[in-house]
Amino acid sequence: METFGTLGERGLIERIRATARPPPPPGRLDDDAVDVAGVIACVDSVTFERHMPPGMSYGEFGWMAAAASLSDLAAMGARPTGILAAMLLPPGMPVGDVLDIVGGMDRCAESCGTHLYGGDTKPGAGSVSVTALGDMENREPMARSGAREGDAVAVTGPLGGPAAGFECLRNGWDPVGGLKDAVASLYSPVPRIDWGVLLSGSGAVTSCIDLSDGLATAANAVCDASGVGMLFEASFLPEGPGVAVASGRLGVPAAELMTSFGGEYELMFTFPRERLENIHSSGVPFHVVGYVDGGDGARLSLDGEERRLEHGRY
Amino acid sequence: METFGTLGERGLIERIRATARPPPPPGRLDDDAVDVAGVIACVDSVTFERHMPPGMSYGEFGWMAAAASLSDLAAMGARPTGILAAMLLPPGMPVGDVLDIVGGMDRCAESCGTHLYGGDTKPGAGSVSVTALGDMENREPMARSGAREGDAVAVTGPLGGPAAGFECLRNGWDPVGGLKDAVASLYSPVPRIDWGVLLSGSGAVTSCIDLSDGLATAANAVCDASGVGMLFEASFLPEGPGVAVASGRLGVPAAELMTSFGGEYELMFTFPRERLENIHSSGVPFHVVGYVDGGDGARLSLDGEERRLEHGRY
């Protein structure tokens, strides 16, 4: 029988779209940030079981829970106006730990210029679903669906740090070299709110997405939504802290750590090459890492060989 | 050690309020509907384990999940503009069951004049957290904190049906007499959106709350927030379907079924007695069931004896 597990999260949202009533435009039924009567809104869940690596504190878990949703607003270019949290927590959980989760969400909200407004707490297995609300402030929202053949593809910062950090924790490595920073990037991801606002304000961006599911998954999502392909050049990918060390120890190409893992919070965006100056003058740091073409989904050129970028491991 | 379970949900929100940054007014940090930069928003969670009585379908569970949040908007007097759902579901769950949950949420949203816009689905133990967004349309929001000594207390409809329905299912009774309607009221609660809109528009309501946690818990919440007491007259409480039968079979007073159980979706509100005509002309059906006084919390007068209404069983 077809189950949620076999269909997967992306497959499920397609099915839901096919059966539920479509909301009035410009709203659309999606697992991304959506426009609800002029309010940009999105929700994302994290669970103790799947999203709490060894050694992560409850405060860091709370921060990450808020960051996951706020990052979806960033990808659209919205300015956050507030967050709400639905917590399902084991009844035996010490109150101090619960307050640490809330404190982490609050600090992340503060770092994004906004506040925790409320929520709901019920007994459960250990999860936090954060709803983030935002405002486009009269800018045009950036979608996943606007990438066009010939566009350049860029990312706002180095990749692979969270993957290297995760491998460091999982394998019990000493956090030497860049691995300490790698673990920090896994624990305290920073939603790129200001950069999203600047990119949407530039008027030059044709599509944008955050990398919380990893570059491969994100790139394929944009390819699907835009009906295009994308070719990345491995040597152009900016390498995050600890990637070289982790790559060597694991015996896997650095490019795999940079493309196949989640937990990244940089933005990936596309723009017509002739608009490069607009992107430069926006003040957002970026690295061009590939271009949009008519090929089949997202591919990586590595040592002169082209291979499909498959959906990530996480 | 003090845990989430020993402190309880109401106690926890007090602690959170004491530690997290307060949002800018008129926003406030609460587990009720809140004002987020002019948008009324709330989130509520239901779980398979705690909120899915025997025989409830996944479609009904989805309806109930949406109703729980939409009812919080109703209590404030907001018009819903959209809902989002965070689902945590067992990977082995058949896709058809997942779509049934979504369909139930969608139908409930439709019954309230709004749409499902999006959400997130992750592997988990089985829960749905629905965020509802709404608009006051220039009316003043109804709060829990405005009840004043001398106000009348009213409810919008009969009480105890969901409790009788739950007891019917739990005890395996034949759904005779009113029990069939009682079970239906448990399975498909109707958020009182239009009545909330009309009540807030009347300008005569001093406080309002929904009864999803039961009359006793709701009344005590209003007493706490308003710094008042409330005396209910048992013989005034409008009796829901199946209450007489269930009361007789269980050997408990009907008033207990009508006050100590949750799953009700009627509204309870207070108003100055001299404004009775405004409430009448609003067109909202109501029953006056007591009055606000300076006593200690919510109490029930039953057979000439006054007793505390304790927080409900659910």
Side-chain angles (χ1 to χ4, degrees), chain B residues 164-186:
Chain B
F166 182 83
E167 293 295 351
C168 174
L169 294 169
R170 182 164 70 170
N171 296 294
W173 297 336
D174 272 346
V176 293
L179 286 174
K180 200 173 166 193
D181 290 342
V183 171
S185 74
L186 178 68

Side-chain angles (χ1 to χ4, degrees), chain B residues 32 52 61 68 71 148 155 158 161 181 231 249 254 261 272 277 286 289 297 312:
Chain B
D32 192 13
M52 199 163 180
F61 181 79
S71 183
R148 293 292 169 261
V155 297
D181 290 342
L231 184 62
R249 291 194 185 176
F261 288 75
E277 194 44 43
F286 68 100
V289 293

Side-chain angles (χ1 to χ4, degrees), chain B residues 36-216:
Chain B
V36 181
V39 177
I40 308 302
C42 62
V43 63
D44 233 326
S45 302
V46 291
T47 66
F48 292 175
E49 193 186 344
R50 296 212 327 160
H51 302 97
M52 199 163 180
M56 177 179 264
S57 71
Y58 285 109
E60 288 159 340
F61 181 79
W63 174 290
M64 188 185 57
S69 289
L70 288 162
S71 183
D72 280 338
L73 291 189
M76 211 171 199
R79 176 84 65 192
T81 52
I83 63 172
L84 301 175
M87 300 195 284
L88 290 158
L89 301 176
M93 191 167 176
V95 169
D97 292 345
V98 180
L99 295 178
D100 283 348
I101 293 178
V102 174
M105 291 193 288
D106 187 35
R107 278 192 303 280
C108 184
E110 184 171 22
S111 81
C112 294
T114 191
H115 287 78
L116 175 68
Y117 277 79
D120 179 61
T121 312
K122 294 259 164 60
S127 65
V128 180
S129 302
V130 172
T131 300
L133 303 181
D135 184 355
M136 287 308 305
E137 300 168 331
N138 298 318
R139 294 180 303 279
E140 276 299 306
M142 298 184 290
R144 297 177 176 182
S145 55
R148 293 292 169 261
E149 265 191 71
D151 283 357
V153 183
V155 297
T156 54
L159 308 175
F166 182 83
E167 293 295 351
C168 174
L169 294 169
R170 182 164 70 170
N171 296 294
W173 297 336
D174 272 346
V176 293
L179 286 174
K180 200 173 166 193
D181 290 342
V183 171
S185 74
L186 178 68
Y187 281 169
S188 302
V190 177
R192 300 306 191 186
I193 299 294
D194 290 338
W195 296 349
V197 166
L198 292 169
L199 287 172
S200 67
S202 77
V205 169
T206 52
S207 77
C208 188
I209 190 168
D210 77 350
L211 297 181
S212 55
D213 293 326
L215 183 77

Side-chain angles (χ1 to χ4, degrees), chain B residues 20 28 88 206 244 262 280 295 311:
Chain B
R28 62 189 202 297
L88 290 158
T206 52
H280 268 302
H311 286 279

